[in-house]
Amino acid sequence: MNFIDELTWRGMIHQMMPGTKEQLEKEMTTAYLGIDPTADSLHIGHLVGVMMLKHFQRAGHKPIALVGGATGMIGDPSMKSQERKLLDEETLRHNQEAIKKQLAKFLDFDSKEPNSAEMVNNYDWMKNFSFLDFIRDVGKHITVNYMMAKDSVKKRLSGESQQGMSFTEFSYQLVQGYDFLTLYRDKNCRLQLGGSDQWGNITTGTELIRRTLGGEAYALTCPLITKADGGKFGKTESGNVWLDPRYTSPYKFYQFWLNVSDADAEKYIKIFTELTEAEINSLVEEQKADPGKRPLQKRLAKEITTMVHSAEDYEAASEASQILFSNNTADALHKLDEETLLQVMEGVPQHEVSMDEIKSGELKLVDLLTDKAPVFPSKGEMRKMTQQGGVSINKEKITDPYFVISEDNLLAGKYILAQRGKKNYFLLIAK
């Protein structure tokens, strides 16, 4: 497998320094990618870079994941209008360990082969580097003119931001450049990978290597991922889509990929899976022939949920997703355990109702869905829609508005799923 050819057809190359392809074709090469350790989980915004490292290792080269313990303490000015919160060492170490566990699903750290993946933390070589030594040994090689010419610096100084730029952030590209120099010197690392917003920082590293050691190093960046409608990739109403199930459940993770647009699915399946070009072209043709079946989204969601979580999590998420979107699922709904039920209902409006009233055997559906929970604004509207067949309890149609609710209607002993029309769901919790 040729790394550059692979990334090219997948649409994963934005800029590349001359000589990069030749270097990779000449010998096994070591490359690194920096990962921001400001949280103890990666989110899907990190996945493009992680997939680059994965393809790099698959192509027979050696990937290094660099956790930016030192740079994370400073904050990269690229694409940001404000400085970030600084982290303490204990938090950084915890985050590093959590991130390595996630990366192990993509990269082989335990291989006996020479291209086994490694993880490093730039805090380890920066923590004992005195300020005077740094500006003498590193700062003297890069001119202020060179640093000022970088886009990330120019944007912050041109008035686009009211914040200006502190010396701390101005020095960021030097610290990142020194990372590349250190890895070049200690691990023969010849290439740095990153997002397109990192080009200025990466090329500062290649320049530092050239000026201090007379060495030749390379840079390759991938495009920043966008959505077809111009919205920000990976952001939902509830924030980032995380890889850690504590922050984003496998069900919700699966749903994110299942619900991307056709245009985005065609782009994302190249970037976020290992499927071959022929397999993807076949899926694209299927999608064109019958867009309603959404083969691209389904395969994308399957591949990436299995890779990030597990095959079992994918199966559970796939089955659970059918519950809200298909009609014959009353039995499946009753079989769900409480944890899975709540995952499926994540994002569904929830309302508390009285367990005593349900147990009394006197609570009519019309009262439950108006007085006890605001599923309908009025009893008249509730009666009308029920008689028209537009109301379901636990996926079973109810046509009598005066149907009496009992304990038999509780899922997992305490929940009722009310449905108004085709798409409006409400989870009632009996307490």
Side-chain angles (χ1 to χ4, degrees), residues 360-376:
S360 73
E362 296 175 6
L363 183 61
K364 296 181 178 67
L365 186 62
V366 66
D367 297 322
L368 175 69
L369 301 187
T370 53
D371 298 341
K372 310 302 178 187
V375 175
F376 286 91

Side-chain angles (χ1 to χ4, degrees), residues 106-118:
F106 298 84
L107 304 173
D108 186 353
F109 288 96
D110 302 318
S111 167
K112 298 290 184 277
E113 299 299 319
N115 72 327
S116 176
E118 276 188 58

Side-chain angles (χ1 to χ4, degrees), residues 30-37 39-42 50 53 57 62-69 92-105 107-110 115-125 183 187:
T30 300
Y32 92 91
L33 175 117
I35 293 171
D36 177 9
D40 65 354
S41 172
L42 301 173
V50 173
L53 287 180
Q57 190 172 35
K62 182 178 179 69
I64 294 178
L66 179 143
V67 172
L92 285 165
R93 292 295 180 196
H94 164 73
N95 292 356
Q96 176 184 345
E97 284 310 305
I99 287 168
K100 184 169 185 181
K101 277 185 190 164
Q102 291 181 334
L103 288 176
K105 295 188 174 182
L107 304 173
D108 186 353
F109 288 96
D110 302 318
N115 72 327
S116 176
E118 276 188 58
M119 177 179 265
V120 296
N121 188 332
N122 60 11
Y123 185 74
D124 293 332
W125 56 79
L183 292 176
K187 295 187 180 290

Side-chain angles (χ1 to χ4, degrees), residues 352-359 363 368 372 429-431:
E352 287 185 15
V353 294
S354 165
M355 179 70 87
D356 290 339
E357 289 185 355
I358 290 173
K359 285 181 174 178
L363 183 61
L368 175 69
K372 310 302 178 187
I429 306 168
K431 289 194 172 179

